Amino acid sequence: MHRNDLIPIGTLSRRTGLAVSAIRYYEDRGLVTSIRTGGNQRRFLRSDIRRLSFVQIAQKLGLGLAEIERELAALPRGRTPNVMDWQKISRSLRKEIDSRIQLLTRTRNKLDECIGCGCLSLERCALYNKEDRASAAGPGPRYVLD
Amino acid sequence: MHRNDLIPIGTLSRRTGLAVSAIRYYEDRGLVTSIRTGGNQRRFLRSDIRRLSFVQIAQKLGLGLAEIERELAALPRGRTPNVMDWQKISRSLRKEIDSRIQLLTRTRNKLDECIGCGCLSLERCALYNKEDRASAAGPGPRYVLD
DNA sequence: GCTTGATCTCAAGCTAGCTTGAGGTTGCAT
DNA sequence: ATGCAACCTCAAGCTAGCTTGAGATCAAGC
């Protein structure tokens, strides 16, 4: 509503903790959009602070930028997201966390069995049969939660 | 128990599900070692099947190759690892899983609070508010991430 | 008006973790 | 002894997710 609803990239950087270069990269990737001033400088909406915060949280959960973009697609276009919008998308994220916890728990249980028999690599080991590998595939190197 | 204990890279590939090129890469990285035949072909120990299986499991948990190498350092050198060795290293992996589950659970709880107040997009939300304890750590959604 | 810091574009570089391709050799079955 | 799959090395390429650098422009305080 006021003029100061538009913030330059440096401010967005400070408010999100993201590097300016990262924000520009995200814009290229379509994760966030900006308008330009007469002098061709980017101006973002304040609500983009939250948008990029969401990106960071989702990333920590192991989602790739493409997946995050898909999640963000649930947010309205042309209107600043409201409480309901964020609730909806947050719940989606919660489901993601739940499934990851489940996967880890299953893996842990299987590892427990394998500690018992010391097998770890035997064909019959529950941890390592083909069937299981398919279902457990996904996270990859991005799945680093510090 | 003589020649049979040494396997070529293709066999190791089939037994682990890893690509031949990946195994060679791991050898370059020092995750596994081999001896050479007179014709310069690699020969691995049967126990390397288990070693590489461990690598894959650890990778799924989000560990980088460098970290995995550190874990593997716990295995004996010059002797084929026995059940006890693998039990020990498996337990180490189990701890890793536990801590990841804990982190996810904490994150989920915080996200729940935010769904409860519908705040993920509001300035006063504990997740994003710069003025509360989250801001002490600096900008960005640290409260959820840390 | 001047200076300084913030911003711009575009291209290239970087880490991780591999794969792919070219060109050549080995080893085992027939 | 021959054929061919499996093996070898080395270099380059690929995806993801950015960063860095060059060279230029913009915006704001004094």
Side-chain angles (χ1 to χ4, degrees):
Chain A
M1 320 339 181
H2 303 291
R3 269 240 165 274
N4 58 3
D5 280 325
L6 293 176
I7 58 177
I9 198 166
T11 302
L12 187 54
S13 167
R14 278 187 300 280
R15 293 295 301 275
T16 58
L18 288 167
V20 165
S21 59
I23 297 173
R24 282 198 276 248
Y25 176 72
Y26 290 161
E27 191 183 9
D28 284 350
R29 291 285 309 254
L31 287 169
V32 71
T33 55
S34 68
I35 57 174
R36 300 299 179 115
T37 64
N40 197 37
Q41 296 199 353
R42 289 171 182 83
R43 289 298 180 266
F44 295 87
L45 294 173
R46 276 196 182 283
S47 60
D48 287 329
I49 296 169
R50 251 135 276 136
R51 192 177 175 95
L52 292 184
S53 294
F54 177 87
V55 170
Q56 287 182 88
I57 294 169
Q59 255 192 321
K60 287 288 176 179
L61 294 176
L63 301 195
L65 293 186
E67 292 166 291
I68 295 173
E69 195 176 344
R70 238 170 284 139
E71 293 279 336
L72 285 172
L75 288 177
R77 307 229 261 187
R79 158 168 81 72
T80 298
N82 61 28
V83 173
M84 300 286 267
D85 296 321
W86 283 114
Q87 279 188 357
K88 190 176 159 200
I89 204 170
S90 295
R91 267 191 277 265
S92 167
L93 207 58
R94 206 209 126 108
K95 276 184 199 150
E96 188 61 39
I97 298 176
D98 282 344
S99 75
R100 272 162 210 272
I101 288 178
Q102 265 184 31
L103 176 61
L104 281 176
T105 304
R106 271 207 308 279
T107 304
R108 185 176 61 182
N109 290 341
K110 285 170 184 165
L111 191 59
D112 281 350
E113 290 169 25
C114 288
I115 289 176
C117 70
C119 60
L120 201 59
S121 73
L122 298 180
E123 299 285 331
R124 68 176 180 279
C125 177
L127 246 186
Y128 218 67
N129 63 52
K130 303 276 188 198
E131 203 77 58
D132 192 51
R133 239 184 301 171
S135 67
R142 293 296 312 160
Y143 186 46
V144 179
L145 302 170
D146 295 358
Chain B
M1 264 302 229
H2 301 140
R3 310 279 304 271
N4 276 10
D5 283 325
L6 293 177
I7 59 177
I9 197 167
T11 303
L12 187 53
S13 167
R14 276 186 302 279
R15 293 296 302 274
T16 58
L18 287 167
V20 166
S21 59
I23 297 174
R24 282 198 277 249
Y25 176 72
Y26 290 161
E27 191 183 11
D28 284 350
R29 292 286 308 255
L31 287 168
V32 71
T33 54
S34 68
I35 56 173
R36 300 297 179 119
T37 64
N40 196 35
Q41 297 197 354
R42 289 171 181 84
R43 288 299 180 263
F44 294 88
L45 294 173
R46 278 197 180 283
S47 59
D48 287 329
I49 296 170
R50 201 168 286 197
R51 194 178 174 95
L52 291 184
S53 295
F54 176 86
V55 170
Q56 289 182 89
I57 295 168
Q59 256 191 322
K60 269 189 273 178
L61 295 177
L63 301 195
L65 294 184
E67 291 166 291
I68 295 173
E69 196 177 346
R70 239 170 284 138
E71 292 280 337
L72 286 172
L75 289 176
R77 316 238 273 164
R79 159 169 79 72
T80 298
N82 59 27
V83 172
M84 298 287 267
D85 295 320
W86 283 115
Q87 282 188 354
K88 188 176 158 198
I89 203 170
S90 295
R91 266 190 277 267
S92 168
L93 210 56
R94 206 208 127 107
K95 275 183 199 151
E96 188 62 38
I97 298 177
D98 283 343
S99 74
R100 272 163 211 271
I101 288 178
Q102 266 184 33
L103 177 60
L104 280 176
T105 304
R106 272 207 308 278
T107 303
R108 186 177 61 180
N109 290 341
K110 282 171 185 165
L111 196 58
D112 279 350
E113 289 170 25
C114 287
I115 289 175
C117 71
C119 62
L120 197 61
S121 72
L122 298 180
E123 293 287 338
R124 69 173 185 281
C125 174
L127 275 172
Y128 296 129
N129 193 353
K130 320 270 317 149
E131 271 66 60
D132 69 14
R133 52 194 258 199
S135 66
R142 306 280 191 245
Y143 186 65
V144 155
L145 301 183
D146 294 344

